[in-house]
Each structure stands twice: as C-alpha cells, then as structure tokens.
Amino acid sequence: MSNAKKWLIILLSLIVLGLIGWNLAGNDTEAPVNNVLDNAQPNYQTDDSVTFVYNPVGDLAYKLVSDKIDNYTADKVTWFTNPVLTTYNEAGVPTWTVRSLKAKLTNDRILYLYNDVQVDSLSPDSQLQRISTQNAMVNLITQDVSSDDKVTIIGQGLNSTGLKMRGNLRSRTAELIEDVKTHYVLQKEEQKNESSK
C-alpha cells in the first residue's frame, strides 16, 4: 500500500470520528423538534359522536350526543356543537335532557352550555318540567345546574321567569334568585271544580 493511500485513510478516519463526536455532542445544525401543542387547532376532531359515561359502580350516568367535537389537549377543554346530554338515575332510567347550540366541557367535568339552553324533564311526575335560558352550567358529577341569565321555568301548574337560577337535576329542584315573576295555571280538574261550585 502506498504512503499516500495510508495518509488518505487516516485523514478520512479522523473526519468520520470528528463527525461522530460532533453528532453525539448534539451540535447538529438541524432545528430541534418543537413538542409544544398548538392551542389554535384542536388535537382531534370528530363528527356525529355519542359518548357514554358510567359511574364508578358501572351504571350509565349520562350520554352525550353531538354533531361535532373539538378537543384541545393543552387547555384540557372539549367543545361540542349541538350537544344533547341525557342524564340517568341509579336505576338506569333517563331523567333529563339538556341541549344547547354549543357547549364546553372542562377537565373538572363542568359542562358550560351556550345559546338556547333547554333542560327538559323526562319524568312525567316531576313538578319541574322545563328550564330555558341563554347560558347555563351543569356539574356532571353533582348534577348542580346554574345560570346567571334570564331563566324561564315551566312546571306543573306554573310558569316562572327571573334572573339567576340555582338548582339540582338529581333532586329536581330549581330556584330563581332575582326579579322572579310567577304565573299559576289552573289545571283542568281544578277548573271543573271551580265551575261546579
């Protein structure tokens, strides 16, 4: 082997060793990979979804149907378009439907409902039949419901409006806080009794 070939092999070996050392030291010229999540874009989306949530015992707690879901992992927020929430009692019987045009579910299981919120009882014997407002909040764990907007409550024999409402779907209660106006409606049986007197 000639002397020039030996020096060429030694020089190329030194260059290769230098490049390996450079690479192992992390001094490559490529831009580092950015692992930051983009909050402007959802991490995943889905259309026409049905979500079932079960309690720790394994019974169905609620069902959430939505036209579209946008999940933002960094903010721990999920947005729903045209959501319909159905709650269930311990016996697995549906008790309420809650609907709106938009909703936001936070990591602490609070569902914020926006635009044309309507809460309907599925129990015919419930004194409280319907709650209507523009914006509301439902705690999916305790089933507490509240609104700081104008609220209309329709029940058996009454129609009430007011500002700010607090209630609980599980106990079938709702309380209007301010500017309450209630109209009582006589039932047909009561009207018959009044006319026969």
Side-chain angles (χ1 to χ4, degrees), residues 21-72:
W22 180 271
N23 195 19
L24 289 175
N27 295 327
D28 55 355
T29 58
E30 291 182 28
V33 177
N34 190 0
N35 289 331
V36 176
L37 297 173
D38 182 11
N39 287 337
Q41 295 295 319
N43 296 94
Y44 71 82
Q45 295 177 307
T46 185
D47 292 331
D48 301 320
S49 71
V50 179
T51 305
F52 295 96
V53 177
Y54 296 87
N55 64 23
V57 182
D59 299 327
L60 183 61
Y62 59 88
K63 175 177 77 170
L64 184 58
V65 178
S66 181
D67 289 349
K68 182 179 179 189
I69 295 178
D70 295 314
N71 180 269
Y72 297 86

Side-chain angles (χ1 to χ4, degrees), residues 65-128:
V65 178
S66 181
D67 289 349
K68 182 179 179 189
I69 295 178
D70 295 314
N71 180 269
Y72 297 86
T73 305
D75 293 337
K76 298 180 180 176
V77 168
T78 304
W79 283 93
F80 300 91
T81 303
N82 295 323
V84 178
L85 172 74
T86 304
T87 63
Y88 294 82
N89 65 15
E90 299 82 24
V93 176
T95 53
W96 295 92
T97 60
V98 180
R99 64 184 73 233
S100 67
L101 296 181
K102 290 289 276 185
K104 174 176 75 171
L105 179 63
T106 58
N107 197 42
D108 54 357
R109 294 191 187 145
I110 305 293
L111 186 65
Y112 295 91
L113 301 144
Y114 304 103
N115 301 322
D116 296 328
V117 178
Q118 186 171 309
V119 181
D120 290 307
S121 175
L122 299 176
S123 304
D125 61 337
S126 175
Q127 293 294 315
L128 183 61

